[in-house]
Amino acid sequence: MRLRIATRSSRLARWQADHVADLLRRVHPGVEVELVPVETTGDLRRDVTIAEIGGKGVFVKQVQVAVLDGRADLAVHSGKDMPAATPDGLTIAAVPERADPRDALVGARLDDLPPGATVATGSVRRRAQLAWHRPDLTFAELRGNVDTRVKAAERFGAVVLAVAGLERLGLGAHIAERLPTRMVVPQVAQGALAIECPVDRTDVRELLAAVEHAPSRRTFDAERAFLTELGGDCSLPAGAHATLDPAAPSADEADTDAAAAEVHICGFVSSLDGRTTLHAERRGDDPAACGKALASHLLGDLGGSALLEHG
């Protein structure tokens, strides 16, 4: 059988698609895999902010269309790029084992940045949280591929990128500091890969089931439920990070033990300037219910809905 994987054409996206292809070949030796590169709006419009060109989903939509119109059999996405809603006709069929979800500083550690230093990032989430911890910092907009942003650290005090992307491209040596998730809450599903395919392609879904990592899927589902309840494509700084208690089982035990592990999810929402920041956490057996309850608590009980109205 031959499988066509739709992917963005960036170096990191191709690495991710190749990684999934290797996983599939390992568990299904007879399967042939080829990549179908797709240019997305986010890749083509690097001169403006993500919010200006459509917000969350600008790196995903054209790739999804390639699957829906039959040019590809499945798509591989960075989980953090995905909007809350999955298009009709598609399903997230598998989530492989998640990489490190943390953010990283390249160029300098946070405590070593001098007063008034400039930190470059295109993420309002990262900017707001760093401003909360270091109100003296200034920020510059920065977009582009991982290599471009790493090189840009020479022009700023530091730049912020995802640990997973840096390590996947062999650039981990450039990391000055991995920011604790309690300090800078990651983007929903950061470090995770999401594999989409048509709902009615049971043959593809059966093949993808073999690369599903149950613990990663539970944390992925909890964080995605948080995003959905928050408002889907909320443009305010927000993030969530879920773990399993007790610690996630080994790969050999994942299928049997992950379903019994309790989900612990921490999340935040803040004003754009980071001056009003709300944090909360929830625990529970049902990932989706847990993520939804956390977002509801932040919006309702803690007053986060007012931030949405004035954001």
Side-chain angles (χ1 to χ4, degrees), residues 256-273:
T256 56
D257 291 351
E262 185 178 59
V263 175
H264 178 208
I265 182 169
C266 303
F268 92 103
V269 62
S270 83
S271 58
L272 287 172
D273 59 12

Side-chain angles (χ1 to χ4, degrees), residues 6 10-11 15 26 30 38 74 120 131 134 139 233 236-237 248:
S10 71
R11 190 160 79 96
W15 184 99
R26 194 176 308 156
V38 177
L74 61 135
R134 286 285 304 270
F139 295 92
D233 301 332
L236 284 179

Side-chain angles (χ1 to χ4, degrees), residues 81-103:
D81 290 339
M82 301 189 72
T86 301
D88 290 341
L90 295 180
T91 184
I92 299 174
V95 177
E97 187 169 4
R98 189 177 192 173
D100 191 328
R102 290 176 292 178
D103 287 306

Side-chain angles (χ1 to χ4, degrees), residues 219-275:
T219 57
F220 178 89
D221 287 347
E223 293 173 21
R224 294 265 297 164
F226 169 86
L227 179 64
T228 300
E229 185 68 14
L230 202 64
D233 301 332
C234 173
S235 60
L236 284 179
H241 177 233
T243 56
L244 298 185
D245 296 328
S250 68
D252 292 338
E253 300 169 332
D255 289 339
T256 56
D257 291 351
E262 185 178 59
V263 175
H264 178 208
I265 182 169
C266 303
F268 92 103
V269 62
S270 83
S271 58
L272 287 172
D273 59 12
R275 293 179 181 177

